[in-house]
Amino acid sequence: MNRVVLPKHKLGHLPQLTVDERLLQPLFAADCSVANCNAACCRHGVMVDVHEKANILDHSDLIRRYMDSHQEHDPAHWFDDWEEEDADFPSGRCTGTQVRDYGCVFLNSAGQCVLQKAATAEGMPRFALKPFFCVAYPITLERGVLTIEDPGLVNRPCCCSIVEHGSSTAMEVCREELEFVLGQDGLNALRQMVQSISS
């Protein structure tokens, strides 16, 4: 995998962020849009920073009010009972959300994340409770490398899966996700990389 260093970004816990060059190349179908999401990516849970876990648990009463009746309402069963070290997370430690037969414990029957639903309904920023890697998807970090999540996980070319002979880049399909991850300065630096490659 070829990589280039991104000179600016907002991920302070990663002093040097490298970019998988695939992000700068056409990877997606022409009509691909993350707006076509059907929450297939949410069915496997997500890794969360331990501080994100604590934030969610601090708001457990609020979150439960927005859960469907079939969802797991006991916060003691929202997360895995283990933690591991991972430098891609700001605290350096992470754990996972638990999964049920309907998917991530926070996924409701309408295919919506109740963390985002609760935050929005309560007048909070929409991502105030939602884990970083959920918001960023399909953009992800792998050992300090900005890349695309394994497309085989969801296999939805209309949404965010990589296709052979793609015509759209991540800059076109995942602009909001990239801005969330990198900040505006980082996004501008990535744009410059794209322009230098295409010129």
Side-chain angles (χ1 to χ4, degrees), residues 176-187:
E176 290 187 15
E177 290 77 14
L178 286 165
E179 183 174 359
F180 170 78
V181 172
L182 301 173
Q184 188 60 57
D185 286 346
L187 183 61

Side-chain angles (χ1 to χ4, degrees), residues 59-79:
H59 293 85
S60 59
D61 289 341
L62 181 155
I63 293 164
R64 284 185 290 192
R65 293 203 302 268
Y66 293 91
M67 284 182 153
D68 291 346
S69 59
H70 75 277
Q71 287 183 269
E72 175 59 69
H73 282 63
D74 185 352
H77 301 296
W78 286 355
F79 298 95

Side-chain angles (χ1 to χ4, degrees), residues 12 31 44 56 73 106 114 128-129 145 149 155 164-165 168 182:
D31 57 351
H44 306 279
I56 290 169
H73 282 63
F106 300 115
V114 295
L129 302 173
V145 178
E149 186 69 55
N155 192 25
E164 191 174 354
H165 309 301
S168 297
L182 301 173

Side-chain angles (χ1 to χ4, degrees), residues 6-20:
L6 189 66
K8 294 181 181 179
H9 60 85
K10 72 171 190 177
L11 301 174
H13 64 290
L14 297 175
Q16 178 172 294
L17 178 65
T18 55
V19 178
D20 180 347

